[in-house]
Amino acid sequence: MATTRAGNLLAAFSFVLWGLLPVYYQFLPAPDMPELLALRILCSVPTMLLVFWLLRRPMPNWRQVFKNKRSVAISGIAALIMSVSWCAFTWAIANGQVLAASLGFFINPLFAIALAVFILKERLSYAQGIAVCLGILGIAYQVWHYGELPWLALIMGSFFALYGLCKKYVEFDAMTSVTLENILLAPFALLFLIGDAIWGTPVALGGDSTTLLLYIGAAPVTLVPLIFFALALHRTSLTMVGLMQYIEPSLQFILAVLFFGEIFDNVKAVSFALIWGGLLFCSLEAIYALRKHRHHRNSGGNLPQV
């Protein structure tokens, strides 16, 4: 029980940190996205190695890791997919589109459900079917009124779901996997930064020290929540983690409306309400399944004797 409680707290804390990320990026209005991404990737490698040391975890046997060519290849694909999702998220919250970032994470479970059905051949539950239908209606309502798709939210939600799908086929633990993803991209990030410094007009590398530190800081501020999340996965159930993941977009939604002054009109209200309704159905179903599992476990799982 103590382990479960600790895991729940770690998971909740990780999602709170992710939810507060827009506050950090307010100090970086309209950043140079390629340079920011390259610096984040490059600085993530020493950051992750430092985390291994701080948590007193044994360093991965990289020779053995790279022998698993299939998982290494999938990790490389996952790293590219995550880069797209992270760029869309960062651009959104650095350019006054925090509501779009919030919507992206709210609809992410719907994309994950769709991938599970079409790729993993899983069956939709009744609640999941309702959630998908309501999510489609929510997006369609925005398209009908605005005349365009919410591209940022769709890119974030779909690519993050694809990232999660890739992780299912990777045979490494979470921390090794995240470190490997950045190691694989680090040479390309370094080449880009060298080329940008010689032939381009770098913003951080050629600017003031404060800007450079903010760009470098993008690595730890995005990796620290991931570490708490990885620690939580070993101490609580995936059901509880899934329910608590809505802390992140909820905080971003509150920040966007109350603190950043983004417009939340009637169209967004109806669209969000439909998506929230679908997620509520999934959450209630998950809570019921969790309680049923606990009751079955506490009763010993034995059939009544005749």
Side-chain angles (χ1 to χ4, degrees):
M1 182 64 70
T3 301
T4 302
R5 188 179 296 111
N8 292 340
L9 289 172
L10 285 168
F13 187 57
S14 69
F15 288 122
V16 168
L17 291 177
W18 267 319
L20 294 176
L21 268 180
V23 177
Y24 180 85
Y25 286 102
Q26 290 301 304
F27 296 100
L28 278 176
D32 184 299
M33 290 307 304
E35 187 179 358
L36 180 60
L37 176 62
L39 275 170
R40 176 192 175 273
I41 291 170
L42 205 59
C43 295
S44 292
V45 176
T47 300
M48 286 303 300
L49 297 179
L50 177 62
V51 168
F52 272 102
W53 179 74
L54 290 174
L55 294 179
R56 297 181 180 178
R57 289 199 173 191
M59 198 66 65
N61 185 333
W62 294 112
R63 181 174 296 179
Q64 290 298 118
V65 167
F66 280 97
K67 283 183 179 179
N68 191 337
K69 295 180 180 179
R70 180 174 180 271
S71 289
V72 170
I74 296 173
S75 294
I77 296 171
L80 292 173
I81 291 172
M82 174 52 77
S83 295
V84 175
S85 179
W86 184 83
C87 280
F89 168 72
T90 306
W91 190 93
I93 60 179
N95 288 273
Q97 298 287 327
V98 181
L99 273 177
S102 173
L103 178 62
F105 284 112
F106 274 124
I107 64 177
N108 166 252
L110 305 181
F111 280 106
I113 291 170
L115 289 175
V117 172
F118 291 109
I119 305 297
L120 302 179
K121 306 301 179 183
E122 296 180 7
R123 289 187 177 182
L124 279 179
S125 68
Y126 181 70
Q128 288 173 336
I130 293 176
V132 170
C133 291
L134 289 176
I136 293 172
L137 284 174
I139 298 298
Y141 189 76
Q142 280 202 34
V143 174
W144 181 44
H145 277 272
Y146 293 149
E148 61 181 11
L149 286 166
W151 287 111
L152 276 174
L154 291 174
I155 290 171
M156 286 173 53
S158 60
F159 274 77
F160 197 72
L162 285 169
Y163 177 75
L165 179 66
C166 288
K167 301 289 274 188
K168 285 183 174 292
Y169 297 97
V170 173
E171 298 175 5
F172 312 129
D173 64 85
M175 287 183 60
T176 300
S177 179
V178 172
T179 308
L180 176 63
E181 289 165 18
N182 288 287
I183 287 174
L184 293 173
L185 293 183
F188 302 100
L190 180 60
L191 286 174
F192 171 82
L193 290 173
I194 293 172
D196 193 38
I198 297 173
W199 296 291
T201 54
V203 175
L205 296 178
D208 60 276
S209 57
T210 302
T211 302
L212 178 60
L213 288 174
L214 286 169
Y215 271 58
I216 292 174
V221 298
T222 51
L223 287 174
V224 167
L226 188 62
I227 304 308
F228 284 108
F229 178 74
L231 293 173
L233 287 176
H234 297 287
R235 292 169 171 82
T236 189
S237 67
L238 285 175
T239 302
M240 286 304 299
V241 171
L243 291 174
M244 284 190 288
Q245 72 174 331
Y246 302 119
I247 293 173
E248 176 188 355
S250 298
L251 278 175
Q252 291 170 357
F253 176 85
I254 293 169
L255 287 173
V257 176
L258 298 183
F259 294 96
F260 301 148
E262 291 190 30
I263 298 174
F264 186 64
D265 55 22
N266 291 333
V267 176
K268 288 190 177 73
V270 172
S271 180
F272 270 81
L274 287 167
I275 294 167
W276 286 334
L279 296 177
L280 178 62
F281 275 102
C282 285
S283 298
L284 291 175
E285 181 184 60
I287 291 171
Y288 173 76
L290 182 63
R291 288 182 175 178
K292 186 176 180 181
H293 173 73
R294 284 178 176 174
H295 176 74
H296 180 75
R297 185 179 60 188
N298 292 337
S299 62
N302 297 319
L303 295 172
Q305 294 182 357
V306 179

